[in-house]
Amino acid sequence: MKHSLVRTAAALTGSAILTLLAIAPVKAFTFDETEINQERVVAIAQPRPFGGYQLLIVEQVTDRRQCWSENGSNPVRVDPLLVNFDFTGICGRATDSNGFSIRMGGTDLALKYSLSLEKIDGNVVLMGTSFDPNAKPIIIGRTNGDVNGFMKIALDPGWRFSKRAYQGKVLGHFYFTTSQTAPGETGNTGGNTGGNNGGNNGGNTGGNTGGNTGSSTFGDIATDIYAAEIKEAVALGFVAGFAQDNTFRPQLAVTREQLVSLVLESLKGIQGANIAFPSIVVSRPYSDVDSSRWSAGKIQFARDNKIVSGYQDGTFKPTQPVTRAELMAVMRRSAEFGLLARGMQPNLLAKQQPKTFSDTQNHWAAAIINQMSGYCGVASPLNEIGNRFAPDDSAKRNYGAAATLRMLKCVKAQ
C-alpha cells in the first residue's frame, strides 16, 4: 500500500494507480454541454505495462500536426502520435476523471458513475459503473476485438462525444453523452448540479461492496471459481449481493472506497478490533472525499489506522478501480491491523509455500504479492489457473471477496 496508494503514474507510459474522481469543489456547479466534431476526437484503450487497459481521449485541436493514426479493423489499431512530439496547442488529451465523464439525458454523472475498461468476451468494453451498488453498469462502447496495443473504442449507437461548459465557457472536460436518461434519473435539460451532491449518499448503505441482499444463492456465480468463498463471505456479512435481481456481479471492479468498506467490515469479525465509524465526519479525510460521502467515516478510520493512504497531493480518489496488486497491499495492511487487534506482533507468518508468479518479478508489489501468496493463498493466480497473477488487472468482486475471506481466516488462525 505504501507504493500502491501514494505513487504517481507517468503519463501514457504507465497506468495511474488510482486515477478517477479527483474532484473536490466546495460548492455545487451547474454544467452544460457543447457539441464537438466527432471526427476530431478518439477514445483509446491504452495498454497498461502488466496487463489491462486505461482510458485515453485524444482531440485534434489544430491541424499543424496529426495527433493519431488508425489502421486495421476489429479492432482498429491506433498510433497516438502525440507521444513522439510536443503536442502543446495541437492535441488535447484526457487520461482520468478530471478530463472525462458520462452525461445522460442532460445530466452530468461525474459524481455518480466511474469509467473503466473491462475485458469481456474478446472485447475491451468501456463501461460506466454507478457508485450506487444497486444500479446496473452502463455500456458505452467497445474495441470490437482485443490485440496487444492501442485500440480505438467505437461508441455504441446513441453515444457521442461532447464537452462540458460552464456559464457559456467551453471547458476541456469531455463527455461520453447520450440523450437517454440514466437509470433512476428523470433527465435534466437545463444542465446538472454537480459538485459534491451527486455521489455522496448513494454509494453503499450496507457497509460492503454489494447491495443489500444477504442471500448467498446468486444465479450469476453458479460456475464461478470463487462461488464457495463468495457464499461464505456473504454469510459472514462483510459483502452482499444486489437486491433488485439477486445477483452478485462477480466481474465488477472493486473501487478504492469499496475496498476500504470490504476490509473494515471483515475485520469486525476479529475479537479486539474495536472498529467503529463516526456517524458524523466533521472534516474531509481527503480533499476529494466530502465529509458527507457514504464512505467518509470508513476512509477516515482506515487512514488513521494506516490501512490505506492517499496521494501526495492530498487526494484519495475513492472511485478508481483497484488493481490486483493494490488489493494485496491493502490485504497485507489489513492483516497487520488484525494481528495487532489480537494483541500479536504484526508479522504475517507463512502458512504455505509462497508461489512464484511469471509476471511479477519486476513489479513494485512483487514482494507483497509473494508474501501474501504464502499467507493462506491470499494472493493466487488469475482465476486460479496457471502462474500469472496479472498484478495490474482490476480486482473483481469475486476475487476481492475471496482474498478478504482468506486474509480474515489467516489472521484468526495465526
Side-chain angles (χ1 to χ4, degrees), residues 121-201:
D121 297 330
N123 258 309
V124 178
V125 177
L126 177 59
M127 180 182 300
T129 303
S130 175
F131 305 149
D132 178 354
N134 294 322
K136 292 183 178 181
I138 298 169
I139 305 300
I140 300 168
R142 64 203 70 218
T143 57
N144 296 314
D146 187 10
V147 296
N148 183 23
F150 292 80
M151 294 180 288
K152 181 177 181 179
I153 300 168
L155 302 188
D156 281 4
W159 288 91
R160 68 187 187 280
F161 296 102
S162 65
K163 275 194 170 181
R164 178 182 281 172
Y166 178 62
Q167 295 184 343
K169 181 180 179 181
V170 179
L171 307 179
H173 188 100
F174 292 94
Y175 283 132
F176 291 96
T177 188
T178 178
S179 59
Q180 304 171 32
T181 56
E185 300 286 341
T186 58
N188 182 356
T189 59
N192 176 62
T193 300
N196 294 323
N197 299 326
N200 296 338
N201 298 319

Side-chain angles (χ1 to χ4, degrees), residues 15 83 86 108 145 155 273 279 293 307 330 359 366 369 396 403-404:
S15 82
V83 301
D86 182 4
D108 187 323
L155 302 188
S279 57
R293 190 176 184 85
I307 295 174
V330 176
D359 56 352
I369 294 169
K396 302 300 191 293
T404 304

Side-chain angles (χ1 to χ4, degrees), residues 20-21 102 104 109-118 120 125-140 183 202-203 209 242 249 251-255 257-258 293 319-321 394 396-397:
L20 289 184
L21 202 61
I102 301 172
M104 298 187 71
L109 301 177
L111 296 181
K112 292 187 178 183
Y113 282 80
S114 62
L115 286 158
S116 63
L117 291 169
E118 306 292 340
I120 301 175
V125 177
L126 177 59
M127 180 182 300
T129 303
S130 175
F131 305 149
D132 178 354
N134 294 322
K136 292 183 178 181
I138 298 169
I139 305 300
I140 300 168
T209 62
F242 296 84
R249 304 179 193 173
Q251 291 301 311
L252 280 185
V254 178
T255 66
E257 63 185 347
Q258 290 172 347
R293 190 176 184 85
T319 64
Q320 170 66 21
S394 60
K396 302 300 191 293
R397 278 171 51 84

Side-chain angles (χ1 to χ4, degrees), residues 366-389:
I368 296 173
I369 294 169
N370 179 264
Q371 179 184 24
M372 297 311 291
S373 71
Y375 197 64
C376 297
V378 176
S380 59
L382 182 65
N383 297 321
E384 308 299 314
I385 300 173
N387 61 356
R388 286 186 64 245
F389 184 74

Side-chain angles (χ1 to χ4, degrees), residues 234-286:
V234 170
L236 289 173
F238 64 80
V239 70
F242 296 84
Q244 75 271 30
D245 57 1
N246 197 34
T247 60
F248 186 77
R249 304 179 193 173
Q251 291 301 311
L252 280 185
V254 178
T255 66
R256 273 178 67 96
E257 63 185 347
Q258 290 172 347
L259 178 57
V260 167
S261 182
L262 178 65
V263 296
L264 291 186
E265 292 296 328
S266 72
L267 290 171
K268 285 182 177 179
I270 295 177
Q271 187 174 2
N274 192 28
I275 294 177
F277 316 117
S279 57
I280 298 177
V281 179
V282 177
S283 60
R284 298 170 181 243
Y286 292 96

